[in-house]
Amino acid sequence: EYQWKGPFYFIQGADPQFGLMKAWTHGDTNNGDDEWEEEIKLAEQAVQAINKLNPKPKFFVLCGDLVHGMPGSRWKKNQEQDLKDVLKNTDQDIPLVFVSGNHDIGNTPTRETIDDYCKNWGDDYFSFWVGGVFFLVLNSQLYFDSSKCPELRQAQDAWLDEQLAAAANQKCKHIIVFQHIPLFLSKPDEDHDYFNLDKSVRREIMEKFHKAGVRAVFSGHYHRNAGGCYKGLEMVVSSAIGCQLGQDTHGLRVVLVTEQEVVHRYYSLTQLGSHGLEQELLDVLAKQ
């Protein structure tokens, strides 16, 4: 897949977060996640919408917070099993790509919580190629708080530098990054809070990505749509499949990759399920 073969698209989802809707409604985000029927229905709706798409997306990436239960919490294993049961119904020809979020490995991850995630969902960071485009999946918790596993943060940093150098040698069309926590929500120099990365860390990563020619970073975590630009690097923040914390609808993002650009649009689950892709997108994809 090192060679460019023409335009393609993929689907980005974020935060199915089984258990948050009840916890949020009841104002008990630590222990109120003992029901997740709503989220199961929404995840099923997402899978059904994706399965109907024609042509098929190249892959479906879930940008973290797969379930609400934190590591070691009471309902986590049940939530994970129910999510797996829903995702098993994804069309066999559409690979699933998983990104770790803070609820998956903890706000302050440890080697144990990360190992547990890897056993369940796959590596916490890795790269892959699709049709001449280089994709990187990162563990953004290591940038948020790696105090309990600093050596893992160093390992990811070293690996990332190697990957970006390799991408430069391979002459890829685009480099696209997936992580759970956004670098920033709207402005590269905005203040640090729960929903973005610390300013000094952010600056370092943005500069690294900019120099390497990274085209876009796709994330979740915010449960609202947001985003902005830094020197030609686009930061795309997608709202949740599950619980909404703003005015957006439960949805998925369709990302179209052409030789020149990466364009994307957020669809509500209902809209994508009933109407599919617009004609103009289909026209671009037909140009292969």
Side-chain angles (χ1 to χ4, degrees), residues 1-275:
E1 291 273 340
Y2 290 130
Q3 303 303 314
W4 176 253
K5 298 190 183 79
F8 64 87
Y9 79 102
F10 63 86
I11 302 289
Q12 182 219 5
D15 304 272
Q17 205 155 343
F18 283 22
L20 175 59
M21 289 173 88
K22 184 186 174 201
W24 187 256
T25 315
H26 287 243
D28 180 4
T29 48
N30 292 329
N31 308 300
D33 60 335
D34 58 345
E35 285 174 26
W36 49 91
E37 281 307 310
E38 268 313 289
E39 285 96 338
I40 289 176
K41 287 192 195 115
L42 290 162
E44 285 172 343
Q45 201 183 340
V47 167
Q48 284 156 8
I50 291 167
N51 285 349
K52 275 174 79 183
L53 295 171
N54 185 23
K56 289 186 195 348
K58 285 287 187 184
F59 59 88
F60 171 29
V61 57
L62 270 172
C63 281
D65 282 1
L66 305 173
V67 302
H68 183 66
M70 285 281 189
S73 66
R74 185 173 174 190
W75 304 107
K76 189 177 186 70
K77 289 281 173 250
N78 303 62
Q79 291 167 353
E80 288 181 331
Q81 190 52 55
D82 284 353
L83 177 60
K84 285 179 183 181
D85 289 343
V86 173
L87 293 174
K88 275 177 196 156
N89 298 314
T90 310
D91 187 308
Q92 292 299 301
D93 295 329
I94 305 171
L96 289 164
V97 178
F98 297 107
V99 182
S100 62
N102 56 307
H103 282 264
D104 305 311
I105 58 175
N107 285 319
T108 307
T110 64
R111 186 177 279 278
E112 290 68 39
T113 63
I114 291 174
D115 283 350
D116 191 55
Y117 170 86
C118 294
K119 279 193 202 94
N120 249 315
W121 302 102
D123 292 340
D124 59 322
Y125 58 89
F126 56 96
S127 62
F128 61 98
W129 287 82
V130 173
V133 177
F134 189 53
F135 292 93
L136 288 158
V137 169
L138 295 179
N139 177 346
S140 55
Q141 277 329 109
L142 295 174
Y143 295 125
F144 192 78
D145 182 0
S146 62
S147 57
K148 288 186 178 165
C149 54
E151 72 290 354
L152 298 184
R153 157 89 189 262
Q154 285 159 357
Q156 177 171 264
D157 282 343
W159 172 86
L160 179 57
D161 291 341
E162 278 166 23
Q163 294 290 313
L164 292 172
N169 293 336
Q170 287 284 1
K171 311 251 184 299
C172 55
K173 284 286 171 208
H174 307 288
I175 304 173
I176 294 173
V177 173
F178 299 119
Q179 60 188 57
H180 179 61
I181 302 180
L183 296 167
F184 58 89
L185 297 173
S186 56
K187 298 191 183 72
D189 60 350
E190 69 197 18
D191 288 339
H192 166 57
D193 69 17
Y194 175 78
F195 287 112
N196 60 21
L197 289 179
D198 183 76
K199 268 182 158 174
S200 59
V201 176
R202 180 196 315 168
R203 228 172 271 127
E204 191 186 322
I205 299 173
M206 289 190 309
E207 222 12 68
K208 184 181 283 193
F209 285 174
H210 164 64
K211 286 192 177 123
V214 174
R215 177 56 66 107
V217 177
F218 288 88
S219 70
H221 189 51
Y222 192 44
H223 296 255
R224 287 156 280 218
N225 286 309
C229 279
Y230 172 79
K231 296 183 180 176
L233 164 73
E234 190 181 7
M235 180 68 243
V236 185
V237 185
S238 289
S239 197
I241 293 171
C243 188
Q244 299 300 313
L245 302 183
Q247 302 308 307
D248 295 296
T249 53
H250 307 282
L252 293 164
R253 193 171 292 276
V254 172
V255 186
L256 174 69
V257 184
T258 71
E259 200 161 0
Q260 274 73 44
E261 56 185 354
V262 176
V263 289
H264 51 86
R265 181 174 161 209
Y266 187 82
Y267 290 76
S268 76
L269 296 179
T270 314
Q271 189 184 12
L272 193 62
S274 53
H275 301 299

